[in-house]
Amino acid sequence: MAIKSFEIDIDGKKEIIEYEDDLLFGELEAIVNISVDLSDVTKPKVDLPKYRMNILTKVIRKAPFPIDDATSIRNLKAKTAKQIISEVMKDYPLMRFLEDWMVTFVGTQEATSSLTESTTSLQKVSDGTKDK
């Protein structure tokens, strides 16, 4: 885990945001688990606001607002919040983690295609051909 930082403009003042670029496996699993409903794997339901908020409150380490308080993040101006989300989500794209989950569920493409290759064979007929 490394700490990354970037600068944003909040009310005309330059501020530094620092965040962790990697979470513990269990922390990430918990966030994805509460943000994604896979009760029907053909139609997963994703709660993006919940995912983004949980990631932000978990990974931000330094900011000009309370870092573990979802309410303080919700009360940021939209432009400021968008800048923060854009930077942080570069390291936490939900699609990458959903793909990991689906590989666990269905396997990799190479594994599933090689396991499901079929060969057609005909059994030898023992009766032969009959003449009339």
Side-chain angles (χ1 to χ4, degrees):
M1 285 190 248
I3 300 292
K4 289 187 175 180
S5 65
F6 58 93
E7 191 175 84
I8 62 168
D9 183 31
I10 298 180
D11 299 324
K13 186 178 174 188
K14 299 289 183 190
E15 299 284 355
I16 299 292
I17 304 289
E18 292 181 351
Y19 71 98
E20 288 184 44
D21 71 341
D22 198 9
L23 285 174
L24 297 175
F25 176 74
E27 292 172 325
L28 191 54
E29 285 282 295
I31 290 172
V32 174
N33 187 42
I34 62 173
S35 304
V36 179
D37 176 6
L38 289 176
S39 55
D40 180 357
V41 292
T42 62
K43 296 177 187 172
K45 295 176 186 169
V46 178
D47 188 338
L48 284 176
K50 184 182 281 187
Y51 175 76
R52 295 185 332 169
M53 190 59 64
N54 283 318
I55 290 290
L56 292 177
T57 57
K58 196 66 160 170
V59 303
I60 293 178
R61 293 292 165 248
K62 179 184 174 191
F65 51 84
I67 58 175
D68 58 353
D69 179 27
T71 302
S72 66
I73 295 172
R74 282 189 190 96
N75 289 331
L76 292 171
K77 292 184 178 175
K79 182 180 175 182
T80 302
K82 182 180 177 186
Q83 288 176 358
I84 295 169
I85 290 168
S86 293
E87 285 297 321
V88 172
M89 289 303 152
K90 289 176 184 176
D91 288 306
Y92 296 97
L94 180 57
M95 185 57 73
R96 182 176 78 203
F97 306 120
L98 289 178
E99 287 172 353
D100 290 346
W101 273 28
M102 293 311 293
V103 165
T104 302
F105 183 71
V106 298
T108 62
Q109 183 64 33
E110 295 130 7
T112 55
S113 64
S114 66
L115 291 176
T116 58
E117 286 180 20
S118 61
T119 56
T120 306
S121 62
L122 297 173
Q123 289 185 331
K124 194 174 186 180
V125 179
S126 60
D127 286 345
T129 19
K130 294 184 180 182
D131 293 326
K132 287 189 178 185

